[in-house]
Amino acid sequence: MQLSQINYGQEMHMVSGYVLSAHSMTPINEGIILLEGGHTSVKTDQFGYFEMQMSDSGNFILSVSASAYVSKRIPIFYNGSSIGLGNILLEKDIEFDKTDNLVTLTDTEFSEEESSMVTAGLLQATKDVFLKRAAFDFGQAFFRVRGYDSRNGIVMINGIPMNKLFDDRPQWNNWGGLNDITRNQQFSNGLNPSDYTFGGILGNTNIDTRPSGLRPGFRFSASASNRTYTGRVMGTYTSPKNGNGWSYSISGSRRWAKEGYIHGTLYDAYSLYGAIEYKMDAKNSLAATAILASNRRGRSSAITEEVYQLTNNRYNPYWGYQNGEIRNSRERKIVEPILMLNHYLESDNFSLNTGISYQSGSHAKSRLGYYNAPNPDPVYYRYLPSYYINSSIGANFIGAEMAKRGFLNDPQIKWGSLYTANSSEKAAYVLYDDVVEDQQLTINSIGNINFSNHLKMDFGFTFRQLKSDNYAKINDLLGAAFHEDVDPFSNTANNLDEPSERFDGDIFNYHYELAANQWKAFVQLGYTYKKWNGFVAVNQIGTDYRRIGFFRNGRYLDNSLGESETKDFSDFGLKGGLSHQITGRHWVKVNAALIDRPAVIQNTFINPRENNEIVPDLQSETVSSLDVNYFLRLPKLIGRFTGFYTRFQNITDVNYFYVDAGVGSEFVQEVITDLDKLHMGIEMGLEYELSSMVKLSAVAAIGKYLYASYPNVSVNFDTAGAEEDLINLDGNVDLGIANVKDHKLAQGPQKAFALGIEYRDPKYWWVGATANYLANNHAGISMITRTRSFYIDPDTGQRFPDATEGNVARLLKQKPLEDFYLLNLVGGKSWLKNGKYISVFASINNVFDTVFRTGGYEQSRNGNYGQLRQDNLSGTPSFAPKYWYGYGRTYFLNLAYSF
């Protein structure tokens, strides 16, 4: 066998070896060889061979890893002479099918807002024991690593960023169901440097979908579960590499459920992938990739404690029976295909990845609209017992009992009644879609230069252009002939330039476009010398947003139609890190960052559905972060201890709700500015190899996530109603500061602990168990109730006499959610028969069927002291906080066959 691809000369001292599959004794290419504690790594070639240059003598741990294989750690002592390790055999990682299980967790959406999506999906490629627990065990409780949401992590496919410009978060559904082709990932944790991007403070994942990086052959899998979907099939084929330089890969999957764990949540999804790669010569290759993922599902709602007590943790008010079939009023459908073309230039000391991507499609969310008709929501506060108990004229227990019986008799949407109400031509009820149609072009280039064994540079440039068409579209008139497109509260037209009568399939209510351009450039230098490693990176971002209105709204005659002003941002980021090897088995690392970033489109426009108004004096956000790490790598014990401190400053947030505030009652747009948040805490992950078959693990996270400022709150509203009903004629009120500093953030459990044990048998079966304890979780607080307007009686304009600081503090006291324990079991078995590989994976989460709340939020309806006090007198308030409940006992079973 000729090994001529690396030629260092005989005077260089190396560690070398061959990495082979223990099952088939075939070479494993693209395996990663790393000296733990260092930044230098090499990859195995097509023969599974590697050579790594050594410099300092001493004891080291050589880490050998490859996608879909169990990593191996090899203690070595280097005394100045070359070391030949011979054949290194890696076993198939049957636990790797856990990533299929993880997708059923990241698919879960308890809240209506995708900004709440957990960060588990970002972590699936990691080998870090703490992060694995965070993804696979804590993730079901919506635990967030360091309290960060997914905006703080960057996800790339073939080097092209996938985070949306609208909210800066990745939309996992765009490639959901394609587990086979998204397994090849490169992950950098936290502030650590990435070869592909300046990155976020949570971490960065690059998904490499090139056929050359995938295992050649065919793989088929089938899954059954009772979480988001009940069944899934998936098939993938990757061609072997041939002499003419061409290779290709195709994959497809189907996922379905008439109803998931939460009642009424249908699931209907399919995904397709195709890629072709041409290796032009030894250094250049081209790859074209197409991804189509269609995902339709029924959504679920947070519920109050009163509703939970009347029903259970699986109750969902969004659905009802129609002609004996489940029909969900809040469906969501995402179809946003991706086309991508990449050129790769790769040599010994230089690589360049240049790509172009185009993504278009739609994201639609359905809902019921009602017009001069009763609210169709079965948990509308007037339909529940608490409404009668909390009556301002005294408790009506007979009415409460009747309401209870009526609700329990039929606690779902009454579709038949809606059709009956629509028996006249004009619709009282309409099922419509809020639609977002995006077209995004991305051009990207990433380069890596190794100047020497000590110095390297990474650089990149990205340009993204977005056109986002936003509108409401009539989905179903529910038996009516037409809908009158008029606001029922002010009797004003939503579009003065078209007839008010709207029909099935018509656009109505609102129609506008959001346009955005953004460019990013980064440069990163990394330096390695003996026992020291360091890096420094800089980032520059230029961003602009604007709105183009297509409707002339009767409530905003002057600024609803046409283009808004353009909002520009220019932002700079700096980060760096330094690590020191105390010995080959102990090292410390410190990272720090100071990053400015633009406000997202979501929080730039106050009321984009109706007008062009931009948040006044909108600022960029500033993120300052520091982490200190200690790593332990003994032959039997590995671990990491981390302390972190992060401050987010100048955050802007825009919310929408109806409120009875001290200054008046109105449907408002709440604008929060100058908001700071503080995240600090410690992480610990330990893994001990009790024997060659048994591993023990211990993980802990203790965080403190707080509001760190007194933000300013203002409310905006239209002025088209009767003058006596308006808060004022200006359309906005500055409510001053909100007294929220030191209140807890609603970022998932702030304490999490886990103990795990795993047994891996030489006959290729394994089992594992993890006991988890999660605590110190809080619901999101209402900002408007913490402003001075809360103290004002809207009837008199004066302060409530008994609204003392003590009484208000007791009424608004933030209460933690209950702590809880979860036990999870996993296991699997694999066989190799005549070159065919078969594996079975099974998991049971929440074995003891624990009922727990994953999060929630305070309702802002009672925005003055008098109403909130009255509502809480009975102990069952009508506008109590709403909560999301976690899954009870669930299972996941996966069977895979490959050859």
Side-chain angles (χ1 to χ4, degrees):
M1 185 182 296
Q2 288 295 111
L3 302 173
S4 58
Q5 77 282 2
I6 303 176
N7 183 14
Y8 289 100
Q10 295 301 312
E11 73 281 4
M12 307 295 286
H13 296 295
M14 306 288 175
V15 172
S16 62
Y18 293 88
V19 181
L20 308 176
S21 168
H23 280 78
S24 60
M25 297 303 293
T26 55
I28 298 174
N29 73 319
E30 296 292 313
I32 297 175
I33 317 301
L34 174 71
L35 276 180
E36 293 185 350
H39 286 281
T40 302
S41 64
V42 297
K43 291 185 177 181
T44 58
D45 63 13
Q46 60 182 321
F47 306 112
Y49 181 74
F50 70 90
E51 288 182 344
M52 173 176 281
Q53 183 179 344
M54 301 292 292
S55 54
D56 299 322
S57 59
N59 290 295
F60 299 93
I61 302 290
L62 190 74
S63 172
V64 183
S65 61
S67 178
Y69 287 88
V70 179
S71 298
K72 182 164 286 190
R73 304 174 66 246
I74 304 172
I76 60 173
F77 175 71
Y78 176 67
N79 60 3
S81 301
S82 293
I83 301 173
L85 297 175
N87 293 339
I88 302 170
L89 305 182
L90 298 187
E91 296 180 4
K92 278 276 192 178
D93 188 1
I94 48 182
E95 189 178 359
F96 201 68
D97 287 323
K98 284 178 71 173
T99 59
D100 294 344
N101 178 38
L102 179 62
V103 172
T104 69
L105 300 176
T106 56
D107 267 348
T108 304
E109 231 186 333
F110 285 97
S111 81
E112 294 187 11
E113 296 300 324
E114 281 137 24
S115 61
S116 70
M117 288 180 70
V118 292
T119 54
L122 187 73
L123 309 175
Q124 59 184 286
T126 181
K127 301 291 185 181
D128 182 274
V129 61
F130 172 83
L131 296 179
K132 284 195 295 184
R133 286 284 174 261
F136 294 102
D137 291 288
F138 300 159
Q140 64 186 307
F142 278 44
F143 173 83
R144 304 184 188 191
V145 174
R146 303 184 188 181
Y148 302 154
D149 62 36
S150 58
R151 183 191 177 188
N152 295 290
I154 307 298
V155 176
M156 296 160 283
I157 295 180
N158 300 327
I160 293 177
M162 291 289 109
N163 293 52
K164 295 287 190 179
L165 278 168
F166 177 72
D167 57 8
D168 208 18
R169 294 174 170 87
Q171 177 54 264
W172 294 95
N173 291 287
N174 287 161
W175 53 90
L178 296 172
N179 307 47
D180 287 347
I181 62 94
T182 59
R183 297 181 191 272
N184 191 10
Q185 300 183 14
Q186 299 85 34
F187 173 74
S188 59
N189 181 35
L191 295 174
N192 288 334
S194 167
D195 293 343
Y196 304 93
T197 179
F198 178 82
I201 61 171
L202 174 62
N204 315 285
T205 294
N206 180 58
I207 302 171
D208 189 342
T209 66
R210 285 180 289 176
S212 61
L214 303 176
R215 187 192 66 82
F218 177 79
R219 185 179 192 267
F220 174 81
S221 64
S223 305
S225 180
N226 65 338
R227 295 171 186 165
T228 54
Y229 54 76
T230 55
R232 186 195 68 182
V233 292
M234 180 166 55
T236 302
Y237 175 75
T238 299
S239 69
K241 298 174 185 176
N242 53 42
N244 60 17
W246 290 93
S247 59
Y248 67 91
S249 183
I250 55 175
S251 184
S253 76
R254 178 83 170 85
R255 293 167 289 164
W256 66 90
K258 287 186 176 180
E259 187 176 48
Y261 183 84
I262 304 297
H263 293 320
T265 53
L266 68 93
Y267 200 104
D268 180 18
Y270 66 86
S271 304
L272 298 170
Y273 152 89
I276 188 167
E277 183 177 7
Y278 176 56
K279 193 162 183 63
M280 304 159 64
D281 55 39
K283 295 182 180 180
N284 292 275
S285 63
L286 287 172
T289 306
I291 296 174
L292 171 62
S294 173
N295 186 299
R296 171 177 166 250
R297 62 184 303 179
R299 294 155 66 198
S300 60
S301 172
I303 56 176
T304 63
E305 178 68 16
E306 177 187 17
V307 174
Y308 166 72
Q309 292 295 338
L310 289 170
T311 57
N312 54 55
N313 61 318
R314 302 176 69 177
Y315 173 72
N316 176 18
Y318 285 163
W319 69 278
Y321 285 107
Q322 182 178 346
N323 299 324
E325 297 289 329
I326 291 174
R327 186 178 187 184
N328 193 308
S329 66
R330 296 287 187 103
E331 288 188 8
R332 187 194 67 179
K333 185 173 183 179
I334 300 176
V335 186
E336 295 179 314
I338 304 168
L339 297 174
M340 196 176 291
L341 180 66
N342 290 81
H343 171 262
Y344 297 89
L345 170 63
E346 296 174 314
S347 62
D348 289 342
N349 295 310
F350 176 70
S351 65
L352 184 68
N353 171 9
T354 301
I356 183 170
S357 171
Y358 178 73
Q359 183 175 15
S360 65
S362 65
H363 183 169
K365 297 179 180 179
S366 68
R367 63 169 58 233
L368 279 170
Y370 57 101
Y371 307 90
N372 298 312
N375 192 324
D377 182 359
V379 293
Y380 182 55
Y381 78 101
R382 290 177 179 267
Y383 306 155
L384 297 175
S386 60
Y387 173 71
Y388 298 90
I389 298 297
N390 298 323
S391 172
S392 59
I393 61 173
N396 179 354
F397 294 104
I398 295 175
E401 181 62 25
M402 291 178 63
K404 177 181 177 180
R405 291 178 182 176
F407 175 77
L408 292 177
N409 183 55
D410 188 2
Q412 304 303 147
I413 289 176
K414 300 168 181 61
W415 287 102
S417 298
L418 305 187
Y419 279 86
T420 301
N422 276 3
S423 56
S424 61
E425 289 192 349
K426 181 179 172 182
Y429 296 97
V430 171
L431 183 69
Y432 67 92
D433 293 331
D434 290 312
V435 182
V436 179
E437 289 187 350
D438 283 354
Q439 299 179 65
Q440 181 169 300
L441 175 70
T442 305
I443 301 172
N444 189 70
S445 190
I446 304 166
N448 314 101
I449 304 173
N450 291 318
F451 294 108
S452 68
N453 290 332
H454 301 294
L455 182 64
K456 66 171 294 189
M457 181 174 75
D458 309 300
F459 60 90
F461 177 83
T462 302
F463 173 76
R464 294 192 288 174
Q465 183 178 74
L466 170 69
K467 289 185 178 181
S468 179
D469 197 20
N470 295 255
Y471 56 85
K473 183 178 181 180
I474 296 176
N475 181 310
D476 190 344
L477 284 171
L478 304 176
F482 69 91
H483 166 66
E484 187 178 25
D485 192 18
V486 172
D487 176 61
F489 300 102
S490 62
N491 200 33
T492 54
N494 292 319
N495 185 11
L496 291 169
D497 297 329
E498 290 186 3
S500 61
E501 290 188 358
R502 303 278 86 191
F503 305 93
D504 271 327
D506 283 354
I507 293 175
F508 80 115
N509 198 7
Y510 65 90
H511 189 192
Y512 65 95
E513 179 184 291
L514 293 174
N517 297 290
Q518 185 179 81
W519 62 266
K520 292 184 179 181
F522 85 96
V523 176
Q524 178 174 274
L525 290 175
Y527 187 75
T528 301
Y529 183 72
K530 293 187 176 180
K531 296 185 177 182
W532 293 90
N533 295 287
F535 80 96
V536 63
V538 295
N539 188 49
Q540 182 68 41
I541 308 175
T543 309
D544 65 75
Y545 308 138
R546 73 181 189 281
R547 176 191 182 270
I548 303 100
F550 300 126
F551 279 9
R552 187 160 62 96
N553 189 290
R555 296 172 297 286
Y556 298 96
L557 295 173
D558 298 328
N559 69 340
S560 54
L561 185 66
E563 288 195 20
S564 71
E565 63 177 274
T566 299
K567 181 61 183 178
D568 298 296
F569 298 90
S570 180
D571 299 288
F572 178 79
L574 172 68
K575 74 173 185 177
L578 185 67
S579 66
H580 174 63
Q581 278 190 315
I582 303 169
T583 69
R585 297 176 179 176
H586 305 265
W587 70 93
V588 292
K589 179 187 292 185
V590 178
N591 297 310
L594 181 61
I595 303 168
D596 287 338
R597 61 186 186 185
V600 294
I601 303 176
Q602 184 180 33
N603 295 322
T604 296
F605 297 93
I606 295 174
N607 183 11
R609 291 185 174 181
E610 297 187 334
N611 63 59
N612 287 331
E613 194 71 26
I614 293 174
V615 173
D617 303 317
L618 184 63
Q619 306 177 66
S620 293
E621 299 176 10
T622 299
V623 183
S624 49
S625 187
L626 173 73
D627 64 52
V628 180
N629 307 269
Y630 164 69
F631 296 88
L632 174 68
R633 292 293 186 270
L634 301 178
K636 296 285 187 181
L637 178 66
I638 62 173
R640 172 173 65 88
F641 298 83
T642 295
F644 63 91
Y645 177 97
T646 300
R647 190 179 184 97
F648 300 88
Q649 296 172 277
N650 301 326
I651 296 171
T652 299
D653 194 20
V654 180
N655 304 295
Y656 310 90
F657 50 84
Y658 186 88
V659 63
D660 295 318
V663 294
S665 300
E666 187 63 84
F667 182 84
V668 300
Q669 299 89 47
E670 178 190 61
V671 179
I672 304 165
T673 55
D674 300 322
L675 176 64
D676 292 1
K677 298 178 180 180
L678 181 63
H679 296 237
M680 66 176 78
I682 57 174
E683 299 170 345
M684 179 205 77
L686 292 171
E687 188 173 75
Y688 179 70
E689 189 174 318
L690 192 63
S691 71
S692 60
M693 295 180 289
V694 179
K695 283 184 180 179
L696 304 176
S697 62
V699 162
I702 301 174
K704 189 176 182 180
Y705 315 140
L706 307 168
Y707 289 105
S709 68
Y710 299 102
N712 193 81
V713 178
S714 62
V715 292
N716 294 258
F717 42 88
D718 71 65
T719 57
E723 186 172 328
E724 63 271 16
D725 297 330
L726 301 177
I727 294 177
N728 65 29
L729 296 176
D730 297 327
N732 63 80
V733 175
D734 186 347
L735 301 180
I737 65 169
N739 186 22
V740 299
K741 187 177 181 182
D742 295 330
H743 283 68
K744 298 291 181 67
L745 295 172
Q747 296 294 110
Q750 300 193 18
K751 292 181 180 179
F753 305 91
L755 292 174
I757 183 170
E758 176 187 304
Y759 174 80
R760 188 177 294 269
D761 194 86
K763 294 183 179 180
Y764 304 110
W765 62 271
W766 66 279
V767 293
T770 310
N772 308 278
Y773 173 69
L774 297 109
N776 202 21
N777 194 3
H778 292 77
I781 62 173
S782 165
M783 286 284 178
I784 200 167
T785 59
R786 271 106 178 149
T787 64
R788 299 308 298 177
S789 73
F790 181 73
Y791 294 79
I792 299 173
D793 185 338
D795 295 329
T796 65
Q798 304 298 314
R799 180 173 177 145
F800 287 100
D802 58 340
T804 64
E805 296 299 330
N807 286 341
V808 169
R810 281 189 290 273
L811 192 58
L812 296 178
K813 184 179 180 180
Q814 190 179 20
K815 302 177 183 67
L817 307 185
E818 301 87 355
D819 305 342
F820 54 92
Y821 296 88
L822 297 175
L823 176 66
N824 300 328
L825 302 177
V826 293
K829 177 78 170 78
S830 67
W831 300 265
L832 185 68
K833 301 290 185 182
N834 301 319
K836 311 296 191 294
Y837 182 75
I838 303 169
S839 66
V840 174
F841 169 83
S843 71
I844 301 175
N845 279 10
N846 191 2
V847 171
F848 296 120
D849 203 25
T850 301
V851 175
F852 62 96
R853 294 185 285 191
T854 61
Y857 60 92
E858 295 177 357
Q859 298 192 70
S860 294
R861 173 65 179 263
N862 289 325
N864 68 77
Y865 173 80
Q867 277 193 206
L868 188 61
R869 179 197 56 192
Q870 176 67 32
D871 197 28
N872 278 269
L873 287 177
S874 70
T876 307
S878 297
F879 295 99
K882 289 190 172 184
Y883 301 103
W884 289 283
Y885 288 82
Y887 289 170
R889 185 187 302 111
T890 58
Y891 70 89
F892 179 81
L893 178 65
N894 187 74
L895 172 66
Y897 174 72
S898 58
F899 57 90

